[in-house]
Amino acid sequence: MLTETATPGDKPRRSAASPAEAVVLGGGERELQPLIAHFPSSPRAAQLARRHAVRWLEERGYPPASDVSCTVALVVGELAANAVQHGRVPGREFGLRLALDRAAGLLRVEVADAASAKRLPTAVPSSSPEGESGRGLLLVDALAVRWGSAPRRPVGKTVWAELGLSSQLPTE
């Protein structure tokens, strides 16, 4: 269980859209902007991406120990680790985007990297029971409503997962 959100000094590079800015959706419902952040392509940055996702969820009423937060932490951690391990391009960052759709009861996680030469994942890879790796997308597949990947323009790919929120959504 993840019990901390971030340590002082753990700050990703954020895009122009600040996650704290509010927007009004079509039905007059108030929602905060998605989290959009970029991290250096390193194992430590994958951990920071997970922590920032948990903090972002906490700001929306999902405590770090909640099922939603723990699930998102696991999925972000797996996708970010894959971006670092398999999509790393020296000098390039990976991006994280989280978007909450309360009306649909979904949270979309997107992790983008700069490696376009790699084949995009289309299905869950098989893994041997004795292997030390290869289970990340199995976990994502088990936890997500759906997941997939898409080419990223001008270069790279984005792997995404949509996670169902519990029926007891926090109220704002």
Side-chain angles (χ1 to χ4, degrees):
M1 172 184 335
L2 184 65
T3 58
E4 62 181 58
T5 57
T7 57
D10 288 346
K11 299 212 188 256
R13 188 175 64 78
R14 296 187 187 265
S15 70
S18 167
E21 295 173 357
V23 294
V24 178
L25 302 177
E29 163 183 348
R30 189 171 178 265
E31 185 58 77
L32 297 178
Q33 288 283 352
L35 169 68
I36 301 171
H38 296 90
F39 300 88
S41 191
S42 72
R44 170 127 171 88
Q47 178 187 44
L48 293 176
R50 186 188 75 226
R51 288 180 175 178
H52 283 280
V54 170
R55 181 190 303 153
W56 184 82
L57 283 168
E58 188 174 23
E59 292 170 358
R60 278 141 193 83
Y62 296 95
S66 69
D67 288 344
V68 168
S69 187
C70 289
T71 300
V72 171
L74 181 63
V75 170
V76 167
E78 292 298 336
L79 295 182
N82 283 350
V84 168
Q85 184 174 4
H86 304 293
R88 184 176 189 173
V89 172
R92 302 298 288 269
E93 300 174 322
F94 72 89
L96 170 67
R97 182 177 184 274
L98 299 179
L100 183 63
D101 184 344
R102 291 185 194 272
L106 292 174
L107 177 88
R108 184 173 174 105
V109 175
E110 297 176 358
V111 175
D113 63 51
S116 57
K118 302 277 185 183
R119 187 174 53 95
L120 299 175
T122 57
V124 177
S126 61
S127 133
S128 71
E130 296 84 26
E132 292 184 15
S133 64
R135 293 183 186 82
L137 289 179
L138 288 170
L139 292 171
V140 171
D141 187 58
L143 296 170
V145 173
R146 62 183 162 262
W147 70 275
S149 64
R152 183 175 143 237
R153 304 285 180 238
V155 65
K157 67 183 172 304
T158 299
V159 180
W160 56 269
E162 291 181 348
L163 308 172
L165 302 172
S166 68
S167 60
Q168 298 180 16
L169 295 174
T171 57
E172 293 193 61

